[in-house]
């Protein structure tokens, strides 16, 4: 499966639907992120209604250096590796 994200089709990106369907679960997950820690449970549920949920297969790149961004990613479970292109031919892991 695949889906479009930020104008690019990404194989291994599965759209799970609107955050509204997952509002109860998302509320706790969102408030666990530093940027949303001050939200009340009700505010987090309201925010969830504006979100789209995706599952990314392990090893699938889904954000690319140089792309213009029109979205924000909040990782609710798992981890993300961040690679940076420097002058060398191969990107380096930076986070």
């Amino acid at each position: 499966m695949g889906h479009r994200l930020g104008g690019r089709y990404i194989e291994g990106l599965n759209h799970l639907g609107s955050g509204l369907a997952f509002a109860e679960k998302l509320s706790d997950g969102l408030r666990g992120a530093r940027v949303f820690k001050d939200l009340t449970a009700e505010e987090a549920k309201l925010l969830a209604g504006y979100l789209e949920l995706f599952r990314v297969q392990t090893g699938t790149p889904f954000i690319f250096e140089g792309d213009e961004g029109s979205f924000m990613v909040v990782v609710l479970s798992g981890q993300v590796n961040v690679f940076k292109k420097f002058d060398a031919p191969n990107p380096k892991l930076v986070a």
Side-chain angles (χ1 to χ4, degrees):
M1 286 189 138
H3 193 78
R4 293 193 77 72
L5 183 65
R8 182 189 302 261
Y9 181 82
I10 307 209
E11 192 65 40
L13 182 69
N14 301 314
H15 184 240
L16 301 178
S18 167
L20 195 54
F22 301 90
E24 198 69 40
K25 287 183 179 180
L26 278 174
S27 175
D28 290 337
L30 285 171
R31 291 184 301 136
R34 195 175 330 161
V35 69
F36 300 120
K37 70 178 173 61
D38 293 328
L39 293 180
T40 66
E42 285 304 311
E43 290 169 332
K45 288 176 190 173
L46 182 64
L47 175 60
Y50 292 93
L51 304 178
E52 294 293 321
L53 269 63
F54 294 88
R55 175 173 286 132
V56 182
Q57 289 179 343
T58 300
T60 300
F62 62 98
I63 298 175
F64 299 87
E65 186 174 355
D67 283 357
E68 290 190 22
S70 60
F71 58 91
M72 181 172 102
V73 174
V74 177
V75 178
L76 295 176
S77 67
Q79 67 182 33
V80 174
N81 291 328
V82 178
F83 291 88
K84 172 84 177 132
K85 291 181 184 177
F86 292 99
D87 291 333
N90 296 320
K92 289 192 175 212
L93 180 66
V94 294

